[in-house]
Amino acid sequence: MREAAGHGNATAQLYLARQLMVDGEAKEAARWYTRVAQCGDPEILRSYAGHLGEQGDLDGARAALRAAGDRRALGELATLASGPAEIERVAWEAFAVDEGMPL
């Protein structure tokens, strides 16, 4: 896993970071999460956002979903929105990429 992560495999980086967190290696996990956040793969970024949300980092989850930028991510972003103004803004963002469900 480390070898694949070191060669830039974003999936391996994500799973390695998750395992490091479980093992109590938060500092090293953070280093791998930083690389995951820069990967540009919407599927990986959505998974990363889910993990951040599970950890209670809703701002981080929102940032990862925005970075993913695909229909599904923007739809998921609407579920994390709080307050009417943010909900409406996120719903329109999703609608702009043909994701109408949040509306």
Side-chain angles (χ1 to χ4, degrees):
M1 187 70 71
R2 282 185 188 276
E3 186 175 332
H7 282 68
N9 182 304
T11 301
Q13 291 169 349
L14 179 63
Y15 285 114
L16 178 59
R18 284 181 176 173
Q19 187 58 51
L20 289 166
M21 284 298 287
V22 168
D23 293 344
E25 300 290 333
K27 191 172 185 175
E28 187 177 355
R31 184 172 64 89
W32 288 107
Y33 277 136
T34 298
R35 292 178 70 178
V36 169
Q38 299 168 352
C39 78
D41 181 317
E43 187 174 336
I44 298 296
L45 289 168
R46 285 192 314 269
S47 292
Y48 175 46
H51 188 69
L52 290 171
E54 290 168 8
Q55 293 178 343
D57 182 1
L58 297 182
D59 290 336
R62 287 180 184 105
L65 289 169
R66 278 201 167 87
D70 66 347
R71 290 179 56 208
R72 186 170 167 198
L74 291 174
E76 291 175 21
L77 182 61
T79 66
L80 296 177
S82 62
E86 183 183 6
I87 292 168
E88 183 176 358
R89 182 175 46 81
V90 169
W92 283 110
E93 281 180 57
F95 187 70
V97 294
D98 295 328
E99 179 56 50
M101 191 60 109
L103 285 176

